[in-house]
């Protein structure tokens, strides 16, 4: 069988079946075209291994298929294991009737990949009459590849082997100790069907006799194999397959971790990038819900003295900075504990969402005039009284609350700064979040420096009452949006429970005959019950209900990207979430409008959506592979861009169309299609 990608044949060491012989030494010989590859028994994240059906054979009792040690190669930006140029799979064939003629019939199914992947289905046959002659050339070829089949631990000189899979099944750590030093080793673990691994970080210790490797687990669709298999290779054709001892804790690396100091010039650029990201965040769609808070801050100071204005806005700026420093500390602590961290991930937490819904509902009812409270000590009341008399506590909480609601979405420059921070040292996190806070607080600092800007507000009058109601409605709309997000994160039951408790909380605060202390004493238990209920009732196992879309999307599958691209298709990936308002703006203003929506409807374009409303380790790892820790995130893959073209956070029709054309390559110009 011969094609441009592959030439295949059955070969045997014997030209015939010798008298009394019960076995035959054979091989499936594959000669691959230039640039073409095929796969090992564990192919990696994409592909499938060769499968052979011997049903049409005669006088064949059993066939033992042997696998020469594989090599690592990258296809479409994904690690795969297999062979290039050529390979012979040694076959040990047991005959039903020793010494009698035999017919070998192999129906072969395998996958060959180059710039595209082409499945191969063919049948090879070979008749062996009685005879005792030897095909020396074929025997030598089969023996060569039989020598490349990995041996067991003892013949390979392996003294010990260990493995550890972390609790979240995100990383595999393995060790091998060998009697002779390793030179340039590679490792190929097997953790069960459906599990794929990234490129290994391999280190040597104990004068080269210890191999330590850590591999990211990219996907684990099925339950991980209790005891994995580990194949290792090295220079000189050494290869061994062992069963490692599973450890409860990861074996330590044979080195001490230390980070290289970042040059001062680079730190300066990162600080500037973080500042610009925070500054731009002030005008991103995700900060629109805090518009009423900022307007309320300005309204309360109209007609006040310059010192009052300055200190009020400085207090708001301080609230922004304290929140950012607190967020930096929490993210650092979570990262040290091994928890996946990112920008805006608190909006995946039902308890946090319930708290925000309660706060916004109380704040909205207060602005609408449902009740007046004279600064009790509770957090709810302080937030409800933000912007009123009582010093600058309200100003401070206003700034912190505004910063809190500004975190669901990413912005230009912000992704770069956050990636640097979360991948760096504690000082890097502190630097980035400090300058991010300075950028976000820049409007407050501006007014604090120029208090006279407040004089440009209209004179007090009846319009302020109407404005209070409008601002309250804006916060009510924000609370309603968070209710919708909560339903997607935790389910309908949790959402209804939180809405009911929030309504009861607002009603309780609105009762005119309750004194402040009694009111607070009753409100706080309701709030506590609401938060406990949000955690207890949250159902993250139920499938999410998706609303109708202008365009049809398939669910995110990282391996499917490579499969689609290998068939010559273009894949548009959209990582989104219900709580990401910038994502919604991108969809409404760009993806669901002409000319983009018509182009995305083409048959050769696959739309893949990763819904990050709920925590999803696979999506988190996918974002981290691009050094991203927040959304929106969009990338386009194609034959000319197998590693993906990353789009800016704020999409434009020109940027999307250009990326689609670049990914498609010279075969066609998508944007030029009618």
């Amino acid at each position: 069988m011969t094609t441009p990608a592959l030439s295949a044949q059955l070969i045997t060491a014997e030209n015939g079946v010798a008298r009394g012989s019960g076995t035959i030494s054979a091989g499936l010989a594959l000669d691959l075209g230039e640039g073409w590859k095929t796969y090992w028994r564990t192919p990696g994240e994409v592909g499938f291994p060769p499968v052979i059906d011997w049903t049409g054979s005669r006088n064949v009792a059993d066939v033992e298929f042997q696998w020469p040690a594989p090599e690592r190669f990258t296809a479409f930006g994904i690690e795969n294991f297999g062979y290039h140029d050529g390979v012979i799979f040694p076959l040990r064939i047991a005959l039903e009737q020793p010494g009698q003629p035999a017919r070998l019939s192999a129906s072969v199914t395998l996958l060959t990949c180059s710039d595209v992947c082409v499945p191969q289905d063919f049948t090879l046959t070979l008749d062996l009459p009685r005879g005792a002659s030897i095909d020396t050339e074929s025997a030598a070829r089969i023996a060569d590849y039989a020598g490349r089949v990995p041996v067991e631990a003892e013949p390979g000189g392996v003294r010990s082997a260990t493995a550890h899979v972390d609790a979240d099944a995100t990383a595999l750590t393995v060790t091998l100790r060998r009697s002779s030093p390793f030179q340039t080793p590679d490792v190929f673990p097997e953790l069960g069907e459906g599990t794929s691994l990234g490129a290994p970080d391999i280190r040597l210790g104990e004068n080269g006799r210890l191999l330590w490797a850590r591999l990211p687990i990219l996907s684990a669709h099925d339950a991980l194999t209790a005891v994995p298999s580990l194949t290792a290779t090295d220079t000189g054709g050494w290869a061994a397959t062992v069963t490692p001892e599973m450890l409860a804790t990861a074996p330590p690396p044979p080195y001490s971790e230390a980070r290289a100091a970042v040059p001062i010039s680079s730190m300066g650029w990162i600080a500037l990038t973080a500042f610009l990201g925070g500054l731009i965040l002030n005008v991103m769609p995700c900060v629109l819900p805090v518009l009423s808070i900022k307007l309320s801050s300005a309204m309360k100071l109209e007609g006040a003295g310059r010192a009052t204005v300055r200190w009020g806005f400085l207090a708001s700026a301080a609230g922004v900075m304290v929140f950012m420093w607190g967020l930096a500390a929490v993210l650092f602590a979570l990262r040290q504990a091994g928890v996946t961290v990112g920008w805006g991930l608190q909006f995946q937490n039902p308890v946090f969402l319930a708290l925000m819904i309660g706060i916004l509902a109380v704040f909205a009812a207060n602005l609408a005039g449902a009740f007046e409270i004279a600064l009790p000590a509770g957090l709810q009341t302080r937030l409800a009284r933000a912007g009123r008399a009582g010093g600058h506590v309200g100003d401070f909480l206003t700034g912190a609350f505004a910063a809190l609601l500004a975190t669901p979405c990413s912005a230009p420059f912000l992704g770069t700064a956050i990636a640097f921070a979360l991948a760096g040292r504690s000082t890097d996190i502190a630097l980035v979040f400090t300058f991010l806070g300075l950028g976000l607080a820049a409007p407050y600092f501006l007014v604090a420096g120029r208090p006279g800007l407040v004089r440009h507000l209209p004179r007090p009058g009846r319009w302020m009452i109407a404005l209070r109601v409008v601002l309250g409605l804006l916060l009510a709309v924000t609370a309603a949006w968070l209710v919708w997000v909560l339903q997607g994160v935790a389910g309908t039951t949790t959402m209804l429970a939180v809405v009911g408790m929030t309504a009861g909380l607002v009603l309780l605060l609105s009762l005119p005959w309750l004194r402040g202390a009694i009111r607070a004493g009753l409100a706080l238990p309701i709030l506590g019950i609401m938060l406990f209920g949000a955690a207890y009732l949250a159902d993250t196992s139920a499938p999410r209900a998706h609303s109708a879309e202008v365009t049809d999307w398939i669910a995110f599958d990282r391996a499917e990207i490579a499969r689609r691209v290998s068939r010559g298709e273009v894949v548009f990936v959209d990582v989104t979430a219900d709580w990401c308002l910038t994502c919604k703006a991108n969809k409404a203003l760009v993806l669901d409008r002409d000319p983009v929506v018509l182009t995305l409807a083409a048959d050769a374009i696959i739309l893949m959506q990763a819904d990050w409303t709920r925590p999803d380790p696979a999506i988190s790892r996918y974002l981290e592979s691009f050094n991203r820790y927040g959304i929106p995130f969009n990338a386009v893959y194609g034959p000319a861009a197998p590693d993906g073209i990353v789009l800016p956070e704020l999409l434009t029709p020109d940027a999307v169309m250009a990326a689609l054309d670049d990914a498609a390559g010279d075969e066609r110009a998508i944007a030029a299609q009618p």
Side-chain angles (χ1 to χ4, degrees), residues 493-508:
T493 301
T494 304
M495 180 270 291
L496 292 175
V498 170
V499 169
M501 298 297 288
T502 301
L505 179 64
V506 172
L507 179 63
L508 176 66

Side-chain angles (χ1 to χ4, degrees), residues 414-505:
L414 182 62
T416 301
I418 295 298
F420 175 83
L422 297 183
R425 304 160 298 177
S426 57
T427 53
D428 300 328
I429 295 178
L431 174 76
V432 167
F433 278 85
T434 295
F435 279 87
L436 179 60
L438 290 174
L440 187 59
Y444 294 112
F445 285 119
L446 176 63
V447 177
R450 299 289 300 275
L453 293 174
V454 177
R455 297 176 184 173
H456 296 286
L457 290 174
R459 296 288 181 183
R462 296 176 59 87
W463 66 271
M464 295 184 67
I465 300 176
L467 182 59
R468 278 171 52 92
V469 175
V470 171
L471 297 181
L473 288 175
L474 285 175
L475 288 186
V477 169
T478 304
W481 163 64
L482 289 179
V483 167
W484 176 65
V485 173
L486 179 63
Q487 182 182 24
V489 170
T492 303
T493 301
T494 304
M495 180 270 291
L496 292 175
V498 170
V499 169
M501 298 297 288
T502 301
L505 179 64

Side-chain angles (χ1 to χ4, degrees), residues 273-568:
T273 300
F275 178 82
L276 292 175
L279 187 63
I280 295 174
L281 200 60
N282 282 286
V283 295
M284 292 292 289
C286 50
V287 303
L288 293 180
V290 303
L291 176 62
S292 59
I293 299 175
K294 294 184 178 182
L295 288 176
S296 179
S297 299
M299 282 174 51
K300 68 163 189 175
L301 293 173
E302 199 283 331
R306 295 175 62 88
T308 302
V309 172
R310 176 175 288 113
W311 284 108
F313 277 87
L314 283 176
S316 295
V320 173
M321 298 304 300
V322 169
F323 171 80
M324 285 298 172
W325 289 329
L327 180 60
V330 170
L331 291 178
F332 177 75
L334 291 175
R335 195 189 68 174
Q336 293 298 105
V339 178
T340 299
V341 296
W343 181 253
L345 294 191
Q346 67 272 22
F347 283 81
Q348 297 175 342
N349 188 311
V351 176
F352 171 82
L353 291 172
L355 178 62
M356 289 299 98
I357 291 168
I359 290 174
L360 287 171
V362 171
F363 205 164
N366 177 245
L367 284 174
F371 51 82
E372 298 291 338
I373 303 176
L375 282 176
L379 176 61
Q380 283 286 338
T381 307
R382 289 178 183 244
L383 288 173
R385 287 289 297 160
R388 283 181 159 70
H392 297 294
V393 173
D395 297 303
F396 177 87
L397 294 175
T398 295
F401 195 49
L404 174 64
L405 288 181
T407 58
C409 301
S410 185
F413 298 103
L414 182 62
T416 301
I418 295 298
F420 175 83
L422 297 183
R425 304 160 298 177
S426 57
T427 53
D428 300 328
I429 295 178
L431 174 76
V432 167
F433 278 85
T434 295
F435 279 87
L436 179 60
L438 290 174
L440 187 59
Y444 294 112
F445 285 119
L446 176 63
V447 177
R450 299 289 300 275
L453 293 174
V454 177
R455 297 176 184 173
H456 296 286
L457 290 174
R459 296 288 181 183
R462 296 176 59 87
W463 66 271
M464 295 184 67
I465 300 176
L467 182 59
R468 278 171 52 92
V469 175
V470 171
L471 297 181
L473 288 175
L474 285 175
L475 288 186
V477 169
T478 304
W481 163 64
L482 289 179
V483 167
W484 176 65
V485 173
L486 179 63
Q487 182 182 24
V489 170
T492 303
T493 301
T494 304
M495 180 270 291
L496 292 175
V498 170
V499 169
M501 298 297 288
T502 301
L505 179 64
V506 172
L507 179 63
L508 176 66
L509 294 175
S510 301
L511 295 176
W513 43 269
L514 283 180
R515 294 181 177 272
I518 298 176
R519 184 185 293 167
L522 295 175
L524 289 178
I526 293 178
L527 178 62
I529 294 172
M530 181 175 71
L531 298 182
F532 174 79
Y536 180 77
L537 297 174
D539 181 10
T540 58
S541 61
R544 296 225 325 119
H546 296 280
S547 58
E549 300 279 357
V550 177
T551 48
D552 295 325
W553 300 83
I554 65 174
F556 174 77
D557 184 341
R558 191 169 182 266
E560 185 67 15
I561 297 173
R563 299 188 189 103
R564 297 281 186 169
V565 172
S566 71
R567 297 199 289 263

